[in-house]
Each structure stands twice: as structure tokens, then as C-alpha cells.
Amino acid sequence: MERAQKYLSYFLSHRKVTNELIKKIDEKNYEFKPTETSMPAGKLVTHMLTSFYMFAKTAKEGSPAVFGEKFDEIAPDLSEAAENYTEKTIEVISSLTSEELERKIDLTRVFGMELTGSQLLQLAMDHEIHHKGNLFVYVREIGHTDLPMFVSRG
Amino acid sequence: MERAQKYLSYFLSHRKVTNELIKKIDEKNYEFKPTETSMPAGKLVTHMLTSFYMFAKTAKEGSPAVFGEKFDEIAPDLSEAAENYTEKTIEVISSLTSEELERKIDLTRVFGMELTGSQLLQLAMDHEIHHKGNLFVYVREIGHTDLPMFVSRG
């Protein structure tokens, strides 16, 4: 589980920052979007939370079937949703074995290629960091100027 | 050099997208910033290009001294700067040996910790993806709606 612990601390070094940003978004700004064609803040956050969980679960189960599954209901309060999904994601990452991290998963239909569990986790990290980068601009536009570093060392 | 090649293709899968976005920023928008306290587009791009090069060079040289060095002049045209810096960065990454990737570098004064060359490269990747995530919002606000995927598979 040593490798799982490394992924867990890598995940948390970014997710903690995501969650700090989410706390700054009041309910009245859930529909905020910087342009007409942008994803609204609430939808962007939900996309981040559910995607990482789904990627981690796919690594755990070794099958792309997770991509067709329905999600558990998402708390309408974004900070509560962030807490719930972070907790569930921590559980899955912590449980990953070396075999699961090295196992190849056929993701041809979803990504056009095979990925190992650990390659999929790296893609999940990149996806989180990318959308967190979007979110930083959103939160500044909502009116916050006291923003965290992009990665947490705490 | 097999590991260097893996880092190179990982780098390019994101840098190609960065460079696509940079091409969409006309000179009249170099000063664009989404809010009063945001970094202007031109400065953000320059920060991304020089930072990755500096991180890679630090991994190559095994010393934090690079952080105090002056940069070569940066082309005033951002697309030209992107091309030059991407080329220089490719060269450094391609040349990294396993020893250099595993060597610990004392970055206490810069980041408060020691990092191996490969940990530093991962931080450089995260930094690039983070700011590219910012840049996506900028470019949409500048008026573009036909944007690439966050990662290139080409």
C-alpha cells in the first residue's frame, strides 16, 4: 500500500486547494460563469468531484464499466459535496494495491487507448489540476483576492 | 534515456495545448486580464515558458542556483517565445539521465524541501497544467470558443 499512500498524499496536496476554493463560492454564485459558453461554477465543481472518484473507482475495479454508472446523489451544497466526494475518493485511493496500479484497463471506448491503473490516476490528477486552474480564475472573478497556492504543502 | 523520453512525451502532451492557446492570443490582448488583480495574459505565458525551462534546467544541473539566473531575452512575440522556449526545454528534458532524475536537489530555500529531479519535473508539469487551466479561461474571455482538449493525444 506504500504506492497508494504516495498517490493519496499527491491527491490531497491538490484536492485540499480545490476544497478551499469551493468554500469561497457562495450559493448565489453557483451559476456564475465567466463567459456565455463557460461551464457554470457549480457544474464545474461537480464535474471535478465526480470525475476523480470515477477515475479512481475505474482503477480499483479494472473495468471501464464505471463510466456508464449513475452517481450517488450529489449534495446541493457544494462544500458538503466536496467533503463527501473527497472522503469517498480517499477510501478508494487508499485501498489500491500494486497489482491494481499496474493492471491494464481497456479504455478504448472512453479514451481511445489502454491505460494502467497508475496512468489513469495521473490522468485524474492532471484533470483535477486543469479544472482547479480554471476555478482559480472563476473565484477571483467572483471577488476573492486572498487565494491559496496552487498546491498545498501542509 | 527511456525515462527522459517518457517525460518528454508527457511534457509535449500538455505543452502542445499551451502553444495552441498562445497562438490564439493576438498582440492587442497581451495586456488582457480577467480582473484587476489577475496576471496579464502576456505575463502569464512568459511565466509558464520560463518556469518549466528553469525547473528542467535545475533537474539537469542538480543545483538551485538556476533560480537566481537571468533568462535569455524573451521574444516579444508570444508565439515565437513559445517556440523558442519549447525547443530549449525539449533539449534539456531529452538529455536527462536516470542518475539526474534520481538525484536529490536541495531546494529548501525555494520550496522548503529537497526534491529529486523527477519530483521536480512532476512539479513543473503540475505548474504548467495549472496555469494552462487559467489560460483556457483567459482565451475564452478574449473571445475564442473553439478550444482544444486540455491534453493532446496526437
Side-chain angles (χ1 to χ4, degrees):
Chain A
M1 299 290 183
E2 199 193 326
R3 283 175 67 189
Q5 284 306 311
K6 275 190 187 166
Y7 275 109
L8 184 62
S9 95
Y10 183 25
F11 167 65
L12 289 174
S13 74
H14 287 284
R15 176 53 63 89
K16 276 181 191 166
V17 181
T18 304
N19 290 352
E20 267 191 71
L21 295 178
I22 293 173
K23 280 206 187 93
K24 292 179 184 289
I25 307 172
D26 289 332
E27 203 184 326
K28 69 173 192 293
N29 287 122
Y30 286 2
E31 291 302 318
F32 169 81
K33 47 185 183 180
T35 75
E36 250 330 289
T37 61
S38 305
M39 213 183 265
K43 203 174 159 188
L44 177 59
V45 165
T46 306
H47 171 66
M48 292 173 72
L49 299 174
T50 55
S51 296
F52 207 117
Y53 178 59
M54 189 171 67
F55 287 143
K57 229 176 142 200
T58 300
K60 184 71 195 169
E61 297 184 6
S63 146
V66 180
F67 283 87
E69 283 176 18
K70 281 206 170 163
F71 288 108
D72 304 346
E73 208 166 315
I74 294 157
D77 179 85
L78 289 186
S79 295
E80 199 184 320
E83 209 175 297
N84 297 344
Y85 266 88
T86 301
E87 206 46 60
K88 283 154 55 123
T89 307
I90 289 173
E91 247 174 65
V92 179
I93 297 176
S94 309
S95 79
L96 288 167
T97 63
S98 284
E99 290 71 32
E100 286 159 352
L101 287 165
E102 278 154 34
R103 177 176 51 191
K104 279 190 180 166
I105 308 163
D106 180 6
L107 292 162
T108 321
R109 274 183 315 168
V110 192
F111 297 125
M113 57 178 127
E114 275 193 338
L115 290 174
T116 63
S118 80
Q119 285 171 326
L120 185 59
L121 274 194
Q122 186 60 58
L123 183 65
M125 287 304 307
D126 292 357
H127 184 263
E128 173 95 7
I129 297 165
H130 165 68
H131 283 307
K132 173 159 60 61
N134 301 153
L135 207 56
F136 264 92
V137 184
Y138 280 52
V139 169
R140 196 175 283 278
E141 292 198 37
I142 286 171
H144 297 277
T145 52
D146 186 19
L147 302 181
M149 266 280 295
F150 87 102
V151 55
S152 159
R153 297 198 193 105
Chain B
M1 300 289 184
E2 199 192 327
R3 283 175 67 190
Q5 283 306 311
K6 275 189 187 166
Y7 276 109
L8 183 63
S9 95
Y10 182 26
F11 167 64
L12 288 175
S13 75
H14 287 283
R15 175 53 63 89
K16 277 182 193 167
V17 180
T18 303
N19 289 354
E20 270 191 69
L21 295 177
I22 293 173
K23 281 207 188 93
K24 291 179 187 288
I25 308 172
D26 290 331
E27 204 186 325
K28 69 173 192 293
N29 288 124
Y30 285 2
E31 289 303 317
F32 169 81
K33 47 185 185 180
T35 75
E36 251 328 290
T37 62
S38 306
M39 212 183 266
K43 202 173 162 190
L44 177 58
V45 165
T46 306
H47 171 66
M48 291 174 72
L49 298 175
T50 54
S51 297
F52 207 117
Y53 178 60
M54 191 172 65
F55 287 146
K57 227 174 144 203
T58 301
K60 183 71 196 168
E61 297 183 6
S63 147
V66 181
F67 283 88
E69 285 175 19
K70 282 207 170 161
F71 288 111
D72 303 343
E73 209 166 313
I74 294 158
D77 178 86
L78 289 187
S79 294
E80 199 184 319
E83 211 177 296
N84 298 345
Y85 266 88
T86 300
E87 206 48 58
K88 282 153 58 120
T89 309
I90 287 173
E91 250 175 60
V92 179
I93 298 176
S94 307
S95 78
L96 287 166
T97 64
S98 284
E99 290 69 35
E100 286 160 353
L101 287 165
E102 276 154 35
R103 176 178 51 192
K104 278 189 181 167
I105 308 162
D106 180 4
L107 293 162
T108 322
R109 274 184 315 168
V110 193
F111 298 125
M113 57 178 126
E114 274 193 338
L115 290 174
T116 63
S118 79
Q119 285 171 328
L120 184 58
L121 274 195
Q122 185 62 57
L123 185 64
M125 287 303 308
D126 292 359
H127 184 263
E128 171 96 7
I129 297 166
H130 165 67
H131 284 308
K132 174 160 58 64
N134 301 153
L135 205 56
F136 264 92
V137 184
Y138 280 51
V139 170
R140 196 177 282 279
E141 293 198 36
I142 286 171
H144 296 278
T145 51
D146 187 20
L147 302 181
M149 267 280 296
F150 85 104
V151 55
S152 158
R153 296 195 195 107

